[in-house]
Amino acid sequence: MLRTVPAHRVARSAVRHARSLTSQTPSSAGPSSPPPTETSSSSSTPSTSERQPPPPPQTWLSQTIRQSPAAKKAFLSLAGLLGYGSAKQYAGRRAYNMYSELCIPRPDDEAAFWKDECHLPPTFQSWFTVTNLHVWMLTVRLRALPAPQGVHFVQGLIDHFFIDVEDRVRAVLQPVSAKSLAPAQNLAPYTRPSEFYRIANPAANRPKPRGRAPESLVSRQMKIFKEQWQGMGMSFDLGLVRSDAELAAAVWRNLLGARGARGIAYPNTASDEAAFRRTVNLAGSKVEPLAKIVKRRGGLEAEERRDDGSGVHDYPPGEADKYVAYPELMATVVEYVRRELVRLEAIPDSVFLGDGVIGTETHGLEQLKFGPVRRDDGLVASFRQLQQ
């Protein structure tokens, strides 16, 4: 389902140009443009404006179409004749707006839950995991759309997800600076920026920042994220049809980092330094095969004690009490997933499909937005009240 890197670049350029021509608000840069934010300046944590380049200037054609209703009508008619208004093309553009408006904001909207309660570090890996959860939930509902629209919407959603992930991976590996040699239109973010994760050490001290990361490193990271997307999707699909216990296990493995898989280290059994351990995928990986890990010096145990930079690892002995909250956390996420899937199921197909007319790709998305993870009237909250 994933396209190659060259196809991604072609699709990225086409989608950006199309969005600028079909925007409904003259004063807006499009549905994906982030609202202005104010952040305090810091030498260690650059603000959003410092991390992201300014949007590229509008072309003469875009300005003309925005200012002249007759020109816009003629252009849209021509676009329709060229296939831009086909059902597949419309589904791809509407899927982009679904991804941008429904999935991307979720890590930031629920940052307190994911960071403070689930103890996910402010890394890109954490952002990917939380966003992937909401992409999966939306995919479950889109798969139920009548053929071939369902296939078109799912394919469009996954395509936009991975194009955005690649964009963000490049921004993390090679942050954009004012001295970048790449054109501004090539550095503009594919979607809105996120404050959920931080980009450390922007390339301000480099003499000639190129605005691009090594392709081999980007390709490796994209393969890793593809495997995580596939594994998480399959495990959540299985939990969805089997039981809440199976779904809770998928939550523990994918969202909570499978902390404590090899046992819990208590204060009286080991030191904090010796107790560092992260979970390694025993099922193997094409990027990092298990057989290759075992053959290394120290084998699996050495790999478990190696810090991979994700920030997700077992709690040290002094924080072993944090495991007590895990059953409630897993139950909370399971309840959230079930509740949102039932809500999306009750929404008619026509709301997801849209009007099918160029320029209406954002219509009706407000009622599709996900609700809060925790709810005061939820089952988990009710059980907690009974215990008190």
Side-chain angles (χ1 to χ4, degrees):
M1 296 182 69
L2 297 180
R3 300 174 181 172
T4 61
V5 173
H8 278 173
R9 291 173 179 171
V10 174
R12 180 185 308 137
S13 176
V15 171
R16 279 177 179 161
H17 186 63
R19 289 203 306 268
S20 67
L21 297 180
T22 58
S23 174
Q24 297 297 296
T25 306
S27 61
S28 172
S32 63
S33 299
T37 57
E38 296 182 0
T39 54
S40 58
S41 59
S42 173
S43 58
S44 59
T45 305
S47 63
T48 302
S49 60
E50 293 173 342
R51 288 188 283 116
Q52 301 293 346
Q58 294 184 10
T59 63
W60 171 85
L61 179 60
S62 300
Q63 294 177 357
T64 302
I65 292 176
R66 289 176 185 274
Q67 297 172 1
S68 174
K72 182 176 181 178
K73 182 178 180 181
F75 174 81
L76 295 181
S77 299
L78 177 61
L81 294 175
L82 296 176
Y84 187 70
S86 66
K88 184 175 182 179
Q89 292 290 328
Y90 180 85
R93 297 193 302 274
R94 186 164 175 81
Y96 167 83
N97 286 280
M98 287 183 177
Y99 170 68
S100 179
E101 301 299 323
L102 306 181
C103 301
I104 291 182
R106 295 309 294 155
D108 294 278
D109 292 345
E110 298 288 340
F113 175 79
W114 298 113
K115 291 182 179 180
D116 299 339
E117 298 190 48
C118 297
H119 303 108
L120 295 184
T123 60
F124 180 75
Q125 175 65 67
S126 299
W127 178 92
F128 175 85
T129 302
V130 177
T131 305
N132 191 18
L133 170 66
H134 294 86
V135 169
W136 171 79
M137 285 195 289
L138 193 56
T139 300
V140 171
R141 179 59 181 88
L142 295 178
R143 288 191 301 223
L145 295 177
Q149 288 95 329
V151 175
H152 295 162
F153 271 88
V154 170
Q155 183 67 64
L157 178 65
I158 302 305
D159 282 348
H160 291 304
F161 178 39
F162 276 94
I163 293 174
D164 185 38
V165 168
E166 181 185 333
D167 243 25
R168 293 174 185 270
V169 166
R170 295 181 183 276
V172 170
L173 297 177
Q174 178 66 72
V176 175
S177 74
K179 299 180 181 180
S180 176
L181 302 181
Q185 61 268 24
N186 294 345
L187 299 177
Y190 187 71
T191 55
R192 68 183 68 188
S194 173
E195 296 296 330
F196 189 84
Y197 62 94
R198 298 190 299 266
I199 299 179
N201 302 323
N205 299 325
R206 298 185 181 182
K208 288 186 177 182
R210 298 163 53 193
R212 57 181 300 179
E215 292 300 324
S216 59
L217 187 56
V218 173
S219 298
R220 176 182 172 82
Q221 290 299 319
M222 292 303 296
K223 290 178 182 178
I224 292 174
F225 286 130
K226 177 185 176 182
E227 289 184 344
Q228 293 180 4
W229 165 73
Q230 291 174 325
M232 182 172 175
M234 293 181 63
S235 62
F236 271 76
D237 280 343
L238 183 63
L240 183 63
V241 299
R242 276 194 173 179
S243 65
D244 287 348
E246 188 75 36
L247 192 56
V251 170
W252 172 65
R253 292 193 304 270
N254 292 274
L255 296 173
L256 300 179
R259 292 186 178 111
R262 296 284 296 273
I264 299 176
Y266 295 97
N268 60 342
T269 58
S271 65
D272 286 7
E273 181 178 356
F276 179 89
R277 183 170 58 202
R278 64 181 180 87
T279 300
V280 178
N281 182 12
L282 298 179
S285 166
K286 292 183 179 180
V287 181
E288 197 75 23
L290 182 61
K292 184 178 179 180
I293 295 177
V294 174
K295 291 180 180 179
R296 291 175 183 169
R297 183 176 181 180
L300 184 60
E301 292 187 1
E303 182 67 16
E304 289 178 334
R305 300 189 184 282
R306 182 181 67 85
D307 188 358
D308 63 347
S310 66
V312 179
H313 49 78
D314 288 6
Y315 294 121
E319 300 178 2
D321 58 327
K322 292 182 178 179
Y323 288 108
V324 177
Y326 264 38
E328 181 180 338
L329 289 175
M330 289 185 284
T332 299
V333 177
V334 168
E335 180 185 0
Y336 170 64
V337 169
R338 296 282 189 187
R339 181 177 65 242
E340 288 301 314
L341 290 180
V342 170
R343 182 186 64 85
L344 293 176
E345 182 183 9
I347 299 176
D349 290 348
S350 58
V351 178
F352 292 89
L353 296 174
D355 300 328
V357 180
I358 298 176
T360 64
E361 289 85 352
T362 62
H363 292 183
L365 296 183
E366 188 68 28
Q367 58 181 308
L368 303 181
K369 290 188 175 181
F370 295 101
V373 176
R374 285 192 180 275
R375 279 180 41 172
D376 295 337
D377 59 345
L379 292 175
V380 176
S382 301
F383 290 145
R384 184 190 301 174
Q385 293 176 358
L386 291 175
Q387 292 176 354
Q388 294 176 351

